[in-house]
Amino acid sequence: MSPILSMHELLTQCDVERFGKKLLGENEIAMVLQRLDRLTLEEARMTATQTLEVVYGLVKNMKVVMDGAHLIASLFVLYTLLSCFV
């Protein structure tokens, strides 16, 4: 790429930025970017909340399954012990 094209591209980019600032006004651009930042942060928080809810549900279900397995094992041991006395 020649240096002339690079300079032309740089000037074109500056012109686009200047046009955008004139079109919307610098304050409006700043406000839009701040709102975008807030929305991005809110989306990240919502995603984290949903992820924690899913993990909590999985742990809760796993506990129920493990408690059930312990109960079955305990009943089997009790049955085995009672069978010895019969």
Side-chain angles (χ1 to χ4, degrees):
M1 193 181 290
S2 69
I4 296 173
L5 284 177
S6 297
M7 184 61 109
H8 179 267
E9 290 172 356
L10 180 63
L11 289 173
T12 302
Q13 184 178 352
C14 290
D15 289 342
V16 169
E17 288 176 15
R18 240 183 282 138
F19 176 72
K21 287 178 181 179
K22 285 182 181 179
L23 183 65
L24 295 175
E26 287 186 50
N27 289 340
E28 287 186 45
I29 292 173
M31 287 172 37
V32 167
L33 290 174
Q34 286 175 352
R35 183 161 188 252
L36 182 60
D37 284 343
R38 280 194 314 269
L39 290 173
T40 303
L41 181 60
E42 183 179 339
E43 182 180 10
R45 287 179 178 158
M46 295 287 289
T47 301
T49 301
Q50 290 173 347
T51 302
L52 287 173
E53 287 174 351
V54 168
V55 169
Y56 176 75
L58 290 173
V59 169
K60 189 175 172 184
N61 288 341
M62 193 167 71
K63 183 179 179 338
V64 168
V65 169
M66 289 174 63
D67 288 345
H70 287 225
L71 178 62
I72 291 171
S74 298
L75 289 174
F76 179 73
V77 169
L78 183 61
Y79 174 76
T80 305
L81 288 173
L82 290 174
S83 298
C84 291
F85 293 111
V86 176

